[in-house]
Amino acid sequence: MYGTRPRVVYALRNVSLVVREGMFLAVMGEGSPGKTTLLKCLSGEIQPSSGVVRRGPVSGDRDGPLVSWVPGPGGAGTVAAAVALGARLLLADEASEESGAALRRAVKGHGVAAVMSTSAPAVAARADAVVFLRDGGVADLVAGAGPDLISDCLERSGRSGEAPSPS
């Protein structure tokens, strides 16, 4: 929540997601729907003003960091280093094609979880599922989609006042 009443802006509202090891999730949305705030909540960098973020136990006996940030334009080297240090959740804000591909390889090859925000449907198509945010809330969700369907969902989720379609 940002601001003071009566002009309060909620960066995230009623968002409930589960991201398990071995899962790759993309987050998209037009404008400033709360993508970066969601990633920062997942990392523990910021705490929500209400609600909770649960970071459950992770499998394995790794001693490294639970969460690691991957620079948006960065790629394979950064992801490989994070995995080598034992990170179990990889986060990328505004992921590029290179970092999206590296995240996909890490999820498939090492069973880590990854969440990235991106504005590129082709990058989002690398993920197992795509969550579309609008005004801080979940507007739509699609799994196993290609760039064309992701573009359609992104366009629909950006329209205010329109109910999300069942996907």
Side-chain angles (χ1 to χ4, degrees), residues 1-97:
M1 175 174 72
Y2 297 101
T4 57
R5 295 190 195 281
R7 177 104 169 95
V8 176
V9 176
Y10 291 93
L12 295 173
R13 296 177 295 105
N14 302 318
V15 175
S16 180
L17 299 171
V18 175
V19 182
R20 300 188 194 295
E21 290 182 4
M23 183 177 180
F24 187 10
L25 181 68
V27 182
M28 299 185 81
E30 304 252 337
S32 299
K35 300 181 303 264
T36 300
T37 301
L38 175 61
L39 292 175
K40 287 183 176 183
C41 285
L42 291 173
S43 75
E45 191 173 323
I46 61 174
Q47 296 301 313
S49 56
S50 64
V52 295
V53 176
R54 291 188 186 97
R55 288 174 204 82
V58 295
S59 62
D61 56 359
R62 298 173 185 249
D63 293 328
L66 174 62
V67 178
S68 184
W69 281 95
V70 174
T78 307
V79 171
V83 171
L85 289 173
R88 303 308 298 156
L89 174 61
L90 303 175
L91 303 173
D93 198 11
E94 289 306 322
S96 65
E97 181 67 34

Side-chain angles (χ1 to χ4, degrees), residues 111-149:
V112 299
V115 181
M116 69 175 174
S117 72
T118 184
S119 55
V123 175
R126 292 186 173 279
D128 300 317
V130 183
V131 172
F132 299 88
L133 298 179
R134 180 180 62 226
D135 299 328
V138 175
D140 208 346
L141 170 71
V142 65
D148 291 339
L149 179 57

